[in-house]
Amino acid sequence: MTAHATRHAAQDHAIQAYATQDHDRTAKTVDTETETAQPAPLPADGERMRRWRMVLGGDSAESTGRTLTGQDAAMDGALNALYGGGGGKKPGGRGGGGRSAGLGASAPSVARWLGDIRTYFPSSVVQVMQRDAIDRLGLSALLLEPEMLEAVEADVHLVGTLLSLNKAMPETTKETARAVVRKVVDDLEKRLESRTRATLTGALDRSARISRPRHRDIDWDRTIRANLKNYLTIPGTDGGPDTGTVVPERLIGYGRGSQSVKKDVILCIDQSGSMAASVVYASVFGAVLASMRTLDTRLVVFDTAVVDLTDQLDDPVDVLFGTQLGGGTDINRALAYCQSKITRPADTVVVLISDLYEGGIRDEMLKRVAAMKASGVQFVTLLALSDEGAPAYDHEHAAALGALGAPAFACTPDLFPDIMAAAIEKRPLPIPDKETGA
C-alpha cells in the first residue's frame, strides 16, 4: 500500500468514526442551559472538501479552502508526522530522500504519536501505520526500549521486526519483547488451533476400507461399482420413461486414522528477512501439529546454516527466539538435512516454506526434491505462509519445482490446514485461485 493510499484509508476510517460521533452528539437533546449544542453536520460539499483536505495533507490541500480544528487537526497531525512533507531527513538527521516525517528521533515523541494513532484509528490501520513508520523512518532501534514496546500495537509483522532485532536487543528489553511475542502467539493459537485440529483429526485414511462406514465416510465411487449387479429398472409412471437405480447392499467407506502416529511432517522454513511473517505462522502451526498424536512433527529453520528446533516445539515463543532472521539462503543444505531424517517416505510430508532464492547448489536442490518425490514423500512448496500473498520469489526455481510435481504457491494461514489434510491424504492440493507458482 502506498503512503498516499494508507493515509487515505486511515483518514477514511477515522472520519467515518468521527462523523458518527458528531451525529450522535447532535442528535442528543440539550437538557440544561449549561450544555452547548454541537454544530449541525456539514453539508455534502463541505464534508467532501473536509475529506479531501484530510486526505491530501497540509502542503497539498490549500486549494480546498478548509481549515481543520479540534480532533480533525489532531488526526491530520498524526498522519502528517508519518506521511507529510519535510526536509527529506530520517530521524537523527539521516538523509532518506523523498517525503519524510516529523516524529524526530526521540522515544517520547514517538511514544506520544503511537498513543495518538491508537486513539484516532482502528487496530488494523494502526498496524499498517506502525509498519510504515518502522520501514520509512528507521525507527527499529527505538523498539529496543521497553517503554516503546509497551506502546505499540502487537501483530505478526511487529513480531518479525523484533525477531530481526533479537541479537541486538539488550537484556532489559528481552522480557518485554517476549511478552509482546507471547501475546501475538497466543492470539494466533486461539484462532488457528481449533481449525487445524478439526481438519487434520478428521483427515481420512484412504488406504483403509471399512464395510460399515458413517455416511460422510462412504466411498461412493467404489460403492456404486461394487453394487452394479444390483441395478434395478423402475417403470415410468403415466407413460413416462423408465428410470434406474443401484441398490447399495454393500457400502464401502474410508477408515479413519487411529491415535497412533501415522504420518511424519517436516516443516522446513526459510528464515531470510523477507519470510518473517511465514516464520511466525509456521512456528505456531508447528506447535499445534506437534501436539497431535497422529503426527510426528519436525521443525527445521535455515539460512546458510540449518537448525533443528523440534525439541522446542512445545513453546512457539522459544522457537521464534531460536531463529535468526536475515542472512543468506541454502535450500539444498536444508533439504539434505530433512532428507536424512526421513525413515518412512510413503508416510512423510515435507513442507518447504521459502521464496526460493537459492544461494546453494540449484541442481542438487532439484535432484533432492525429485528423489524425495520418487520415494513416495509428499512434497509441498509454499512461497509464503501469510495473509499478504506471495513475496518476491525466484520464478525460475518455482517453475522447475512445478515441473517436478511440486507447484509453488502462496498460502494463507486459514488455508494451511486444508493443504496439510490434502497432503496427508495424498489428494491434489487445493491451490488458491490466484496461483503465483508454476
Side-chain angles (χ1 to χ4, degrees), residues 40-93:
L42 291 170
D45 289 345
E47 177 64 14
R48 188 178 301 113
M49 287 297 100
R50 172 174 172 256
R51 286 172 178 264
W52 274 114
R53 166 62 182 84
M54 297 184 75
V55 168
L56 293 172
D59 295 339
S60 305
E62 293 179 2
S63 61
T64 65
R66 294 292 304 178
T67 299
L68 300 179
T69 59
Q71 185 165 309
D72 283 351
M75 288 190 293
D76 188 64
L79 285 160
N80 243 8
L82 179 57
Y83 303 116
K89 298 288 185 180
K90 289 186 176 181

Side-chain angles (χ1 to χ4, degrees), residues 297-301 306-313 337 341:
T297 304
R298 182 176 294 275
L299 181 68
V300 176
V301 299
V306 180
V307 181
D308 192 326
L309 297 174
T310 303
D311 60 350
Q312 298 180 39
L313 272 175
Y337 178 83
K341 298 300 178 180

